Amino acid sequence: MDTIILSLLVDNTSGVLSRIAGLFSRRAYNIDSLTVGVTANPKISRMTIVSRGDDRVLNQIVAQLKKQEDVRAVKVLEPDSSVDRELILVKVMADVSNRRDIIAIADIFRANIVDVQKDSLIVELTGSQSKLSALLDMLSDYQIAEIARTGITGLSRGASDVRFL
């Protein structure tokens, strides 16, 4: 199964997210990750959707999204010509005996410690999914209390295919 990262420009109106999610639901396509945020133009939002399937399914997803009334543009973010990132917050149980070790692991990944309590730390990291997975792997020897991930967001490299709406 292949993975596809799609960048959509959509109208920034109520119900758009529901209609896009409904399209996936009706056709039994899964959304692995979904992020949405307003663009420089407050009338337009950017959706980044990650999904998986064979070539036929992925081509069908793109074709169906392009038919949606609220969708202004659909772009496939190819790995070699785009930048994508994800944010993770990891709450790790930490006391005096292991706090320095956890901070050292965070430093290796250039992660930030954004909260310190007597019994825990919250580590923040932005990067590729493989970098985030590597951090979680290194922290697996410690008690991870909670994890929050934003999902992937991305843009294509360069200005050749920028769409101003």
Side-chain angles (χ1 to χ4, degrees):
M1 240 192 245
D2 294 325
T3 299
I4 192 169
I5 301 174
L6 300 168
S7 180
L8 283 66
L9 293 177
V10 300
D11 293 336
N12 187 14
T13 57
S14 62
V16 174
L17 176 59
S18 178
R19 286 187 286 282
I20 298 297
L23 179 146
F24 278 78
S25 177
R26 283 189 306 277
R27 289 167 175 74
Y29 303 146
N30 189 45
I31 295 174
D32 291 340
S33 172
L34 171 67
T35 60
V36 183
V38 71
T39 64
N41 179 346
K43 294 180 180 180
I44 304 294
S45 289
R46 180 178 307 278
M47 285 186 168
T48 307
I49 301 173
V50 180
S51 191
R52 281 181 280 148
D54 59 30
D55 284 341
R56 185 189 62 75
V57 167
L58 298 179
N59 289 334
Q60 188 65 25
I61 289 171
V62 172
Q64 292 298 318
L65 286 169
K66 287 180 177 179
K67 292 180 183 179
Q68 296 296 301
E69 181 179 327
D70 301 310
V71 175
R72 300 292 166 226
V74 176
K75 188 185 309 182
V76 177
L77 298 181
E78 300 293 347
D80 58 342
S81 61
S82 65
V83 175
D84 59 79
R85 295 290 184 262
E86 184 175 2
L87 168 74
I88 190 170
L89 297 173
V90 184
K91 185 183 293 181
V92 184
M93 302 311 292
D95 57 25
V96 174
S97 67
N98 62 7
R99 187 176 311 274
R100 286 197 181 279
D101 294 336
I102 296 168
I103 292 171
I105 290 170
D107 287 344
I108 290 168
F109 287 90
R110 296 187 186 132
N112 297 312
I113 305 297
V114 294
D115 184 64
V116 178
Q117 300 294 315
K118 285 184 177 184
D119 58 352
S120 67
L121 297 170
I122 297 180
V123 180
E124 172 193 63
L125 180 63
T126 302
S128 65
Q129 284 189 316
S130 61
K131 183 176 182 178
L132 276 53
S133 295
L135 172 69
L136 290 175
D137 186 49
M138 291 297 293
L139 291 174
S140 66
D141 292 339
Y142 304 93
Q143 183 181 354
I144 296 176
E146 294 181 288
I147 297 174
R149 295 179 85 148
T150 60
I152 293 175
T153 191
L155 293 172
S156 60
R157 295 180 186 272
S160 63
D161 64 347
V162 173
R163 178 118 184 239
F164 296 100
L165 298 175

